Amino acid sequence: MRLVSGIQDHCDVRGLLDHDEYSGEFSRLLCVAQNEGVSFSECVAAAKLIRSSNGPGWRQAWEELARSHVQRAEEARRTGNEPEAQKSWLHAANYFMAAAIESCPEGAEPALGALARSCLHNYLAHLTPQGEAVAIPWLEPRSLEGFYLPVGTYSAETGPVVVCIAETRRTKEEILSLVLRSARKRGMTLLCVDLPDEPPSSRAGPETGIPAILDYLIDGRGIDAKRIAVISDGSPSSLVTRGIALDGRIAAAVCDGGLWDLWVARQTEACGAALGMVQGCARRPAVSCPMLVPLLASEGIEPGHARQLLTEHHPGNRDILLKVFGETSSGPWTLNGYDPILVADFVFDWVGQQLKAATGDADCIRRLESRL
């Protein structure tokens, strides 16, 4: 297997990618390997063991690999090798996440998920400046859990802050592993937060978590709202879009632009609401800030139709970019046909430009694509 000019296909890799229970998680590991969140050679070796007739099985293979990195991290910490300890904690966390997945035939393993979170906490503690696990006040007695990672090149008060929301598709731990390098390379403070599907009370919807996060950053951390962007995880859901529209303080947003809600409403109109075939949804407020709408080629909605829906729903917003991903990617490290590491780089470049524009640094702006 050659690694010189990029990741190449491999029979052991392809065998796991074709396995329904494991393909998505194994693809995530291969993606994370591109930004050194795991070791690619270790993943390939583990794949070979898992596929062998007398191999250890999925869970055991990744758990043993994770525990070996925990030992490395503890040894590196004892000898004062902080960079090595930091790297090993991150690797251990990603391997524990792989071992704990729900799609494993034995079911999810909560204890391994807890170990993954513990390793991530140790990783955050070894960053410079130090990252932290945070609890964001929301609806009593519930809070939102997140990871806050400031950067050294900016102070928290003046630097850009990107909020990544785990809406329904991924967890904050998975998002952190995919966007960490892109954010830190661009000098951006990162806040990764889990947004529950349902709130603990019927008083308000889960989208009210977005204003709570903004209150936490602006009032609790002293962040200028003009330097805050929000990115959703690309789920087939408009929760984050609703929260952004209702709050109105975000400088830039990467979300579905309400496409999911709009599609449901259009299907209701087509089928006839009286048939009860599709649950309708009330018209939501439109987003007024600059917005990037990522569209995955594999998810079925035709880009022209999506563009039409967005134009109709956001008539006052002329700064909307619809970007289709996954049309050309075909490597074994892709997720659903696209490379999330390349997507993250594109998204963070776009976010950086919008935040510069919001703070008056318009000379640094260049357009990445034509607008709607």
Side-chain angles (χ1 to χ4, degrees), residues 81-162:
N81 190 343
E82 292 298 315
E84 185 62 28
Q86 182 185 106
K87 175 183 175 181
S88 294
W89 286 126
L90 185 59
H91 285 203
N94 278 302
Y95 291 137
F96 275 131
M97 277 189 264
I101 59 172
E102 294 182 6
S103 57
C104 189
E106 297 90 344
E109 176 48 68
L112 295 179
L115 286 171
R117 290 189 292 273
S118 176
C119 290
L120 274 178
H121 291 173
N122 282 319
Y123 168 76
L124 294 174
H126 286 76
L127 289 176
T128 304
Q130 191 177 81
E132 58 182 306
V134 298
I136 300 170
W138 183 30
L139 298 173
E140 291 293 342
R142 187 76 171 271
S143 60
L144 299 173
E145 297 181 354
F147 297 130
Y148 187 75
L149 291 79
V151 292
T153 55
Y154 292 91
S155 68
E157 291 75 22
T158 61
V161 178
V162 179

Side-chain angles (χ1 to χ4, degrees), residues 167-168 195 206-207 210 232 234-246 255-264 281 284-285 287 310 313:
E167 193 168 351
T168 60
L195 185 64
E207 62 266 27
I210 303 299
S232 71
S235 298
S237 164
S238 295
L239 289 178
V240 169
T241 302
R242 296 177 209 164
I244 292 169
L246 291 171
C255 57
D256 84 329
L259 275 177
W260 184 252
D261 281 350
L262 295 170
W263 181 84
V264 169
C281 59
R284 303 289 180 177
V287 175
L310 291 170
H313 187 64

Side-chain angles (χ1 to χ4, degrees), residues 261 264-269 273 276-284:
D261 281 350
V264 169
R266 197 56 64 90
Q267 294 302 306
T268 301
E269 295 170 2
M277 297 177 64
V278 182
Q279 182 180 359
C281 59
R283 183 169 179 82
R284 303 289 180 177

Side-chain angles (χ1 to χ4, degrees), residues 8-19:
Q8 305 296 318
D9 199 359
H10 186 279
C11 62
D12 294 324
V13 172
R14 180 57 59 192
L16 280 183
L17 289 173
D18 290 341
H19 197 292

Side-chain angles (χ1 to χ4, degrees), residues 321 346-347 349-351 353 366-371:
L321 170 60
F346 181 94
V347 165
D349 280 341
W350 180 87
V351 164
Q353 293 171 12
R366 64 180 177 84
R367 296 188 180 274
L368 294 174
E369 298 282 346
S370 60
R371 302 292 169 173

Side-chain angles (χ1 to χ4, degrees), residues 17-39:
L17 289 173
D18 290 341
H19 197 292
D20 290 341
E21 284 85 0
Y22 307 132
S23 59
E25 183 60 20
F26 193 66
S27 295
R28 184 189 72 85
L29 287 174
L30 296 183
C31 291
V32 171
Q34 296 180 72
N35 57 19
E36 300 182 346
V38 294
S39 164

Side-chain angles (χ1 to χ4, degrees), residues 56-90:
W58 173 274
R59 177 166 294 165
Q60 183 181 346
W62 300 118
E63 182 181 357
E64 289 178 353
L65 196 50
R67 292 188 183 279
S68 71
H69 276 278
V70 170
Q71 294 177 353
R72 294 182 198 177
E74 291 173 344
E75 177 61 27
R77 184 166 56 183
R78 283 193 296 269
T79 59
N81 190 343
E82 292 298 315
E84 185 62 28
Q86 182 185 106
K87 175 183 175 181
S88 294
W89 286 126
L90 185 59

